[in-house]
């Protein structure tokens, strides 16, 4: 009997089963060899609770950057996958960062987090575990001032927002009012929270350095439901320009308190947060008209300074079926995109490789969709991320947040008054 005949008649059923099993095993190995392994990346944001709207908006920016990288061929031969973590408060932030850094779903890098109250505990846990932490939005000083080696912030710091707000007084408002800047009565109002305190402290220092007149620095408790007393005090002090930093929603409470007090200063300059959110305009209507902010890059920005901002808004619309809610998604998209690019260039996700790759980034300003560049100092702070001076003006069919400074990014002239 030749071998072919034996092959037809001499194999028993269990032999056939063994061969089939071997073939399936070989096929599985081949499939795994052809399919890149996952590269898990963490994302810690407040996705529930009072900060959820902007926490989710920020998360979407990171999500789009990771999806873009996956569609372009992956990262380091692997498919990046984002692992979500909801951190509505400090306790949850630490717990979720611990899960991502040391649990069964251990990630290579953690992105966060919109809120300084979330960023501080989450990044501390990540640092202790040796997992790089990339902050794409929180502005509190402590995020990068604790001597950590694996924490990086791609977005502007508190001092940058403070400097932009104070510069608006000297460079734009005083000339528009036709007065000397040092004659204007300035007041600082901020939430008693890490971000608010950091900005308020930096604003006070900038005002003193420029020789301007500060009549009050007033702090209020977190999650305040009423700012009537603050509005009455600032009115009594005849504050002409109010610099305000608070949680999302505080701007609405403040403006309504001003209205109830029958008082309107010459100008209100907010700091990011809810000042750049479309929902704020829908809620307040014309009461928001003329309000300024030192803010993350909005979408009404000159394309010559922020190439790709409009393209990002279109990408966002296709992905989520709605327009972006604020510039937070754009800021997080650019920050995550640059961090992923650095990791790719560094050739690995080990913490030393990531640090070296991040510190090696050298991206010029005016070349990204936010207009920021990317160059980190030894603390992990991006020195080329700068806020825009923005204002709510009538544009098209309604109120829109437009850039009024710097000149290379501006799409509108300053309107030197509040309201109509």
């Amino acid at each position: 009997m030749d071998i072919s005949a034996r092959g037809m008649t001499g194999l028993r059923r269990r032999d056939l089963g063994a061969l089939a099993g071997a073939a399936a095993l070989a096929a599985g190995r081949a499939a795994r060899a052809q399919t890149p392994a996952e590269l898990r990346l963490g994302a810690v944001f407040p996705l529930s609770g009072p900060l959820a709207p902007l926490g989710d908006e920020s998360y979407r920016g990171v999500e789009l950057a990771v999806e873009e990288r996956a569609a372009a061929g992956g990262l380091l031969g692997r498919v990046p996958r984002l692992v979500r973590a909801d951190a509505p408060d400090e306790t949850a932030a630490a717990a979720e960062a611990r899960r991502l850094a040391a649990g069964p779903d251990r990630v290579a890098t953690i992105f966060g987090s919109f809120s300084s109250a979330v960023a501080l505990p989450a990044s501390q846990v990540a640092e202790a575990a040796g997992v790089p932490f990339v902050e794409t939005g929180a502005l509190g000083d402590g995020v990068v001032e604790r001597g950590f080696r694996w924490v990086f912030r791609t977005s502007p710091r508190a001092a940058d927002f403070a400097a932009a707000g104070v510069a608006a007084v000297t460079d734009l408002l005083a000339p528009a009012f036709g007065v000397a800047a040092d004659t204007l009565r300035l007041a600082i109002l901020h939430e008693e929270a890490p971000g608010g305190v950091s900005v308020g402290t930096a604003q006070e220092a900038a005002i003193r350095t420029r020789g301007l007149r500060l009549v009050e620095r007033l702090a209020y408790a977190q999650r305040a439901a009423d700012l009537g007393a603050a509005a009455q005090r600032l009115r009594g002090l005849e504050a002409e320009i109010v610099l305000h930093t608070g949680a999302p929603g505080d701007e609405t409470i403040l403006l309504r308190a001003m209205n109830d007090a029958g008082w309107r200063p010459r100008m209100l300059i907010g700091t990011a947060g809810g000042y750049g959110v479309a929902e704020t305009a829908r809620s307040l209507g014309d009461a928001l008209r003329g309000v300024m902010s030192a803010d993350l890059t909005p979408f009404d920005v000159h394309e010559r300074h922020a190439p790709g901002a409009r393209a990002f808004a279109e990408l966002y619309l296709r992905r989520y079926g709605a327009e972006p809610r604020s510039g937070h998604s754009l800021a997080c998209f650019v920050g995550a995109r640059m961090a992923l690019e650095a990791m790719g260039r560094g050739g690995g996700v080990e913490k030393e490789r990531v640090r070296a790759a991040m510190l090696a980034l050298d991206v010029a300003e005016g070349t990204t969709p936010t207009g920021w560049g990317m160059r980190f100092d030894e603390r992990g702070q991006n020195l080329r991320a700068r806020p825009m001076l923005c204002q709510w003006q009538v544009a098209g069919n309604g109120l829109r947040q437009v850039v009024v400074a710097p000149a290379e990014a501006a799409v509108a002239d300053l309107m030197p008054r509040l309201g109509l």
Side-chain angles (χ1 to χ4, degrees), residues 337-348:
R337 177 196 254 184
M338 290 294 99
L340 294 171
E341 176 66 20
M343 283 186 266
R345 293 181 183 181

Side-chain angles (χ1 to χ4, degrees), residues 41 65 68-69 72 74-76 111 333-348 353-354 357-358 360-363 374:
L41 305 168
E68 176 190 64
R69 189 77 192 195
L75 181 63
L76 301 169
F111 292 96
F333 172 78
V334 169
R337 177 196 254 184
M338 290 294 99
L340 294 171
E341 176 66 20
M343 283 186 266
R345 293 181 183 181
R353 282 181 178 268
V354 172
M358 294 290 278
L361 278 174
D362 189 1
V363 180
M374 202 72 64

Side-chain angles (χ1 to χ4, degrees), residues 48 51 64 87 150 204 253 283 290 342:
S48 62
L51 300 180
L64 286 171
W150 324 120
E204 183 173 4
I253 297 172
S283 174

Side-chain angles (χ1 to χ4, degrees), residues 57 60 278 282 299 313 316-317 320-326 400:
E57 183 71 2
R60 288 182 176 187
R282 287 191 288 270
F299 297 96
Y316 185 106
L317 178 61
Y320 300 110
E323 292 186 347
R325 292 167 283 191
S326 74
R400 295 185 68 88

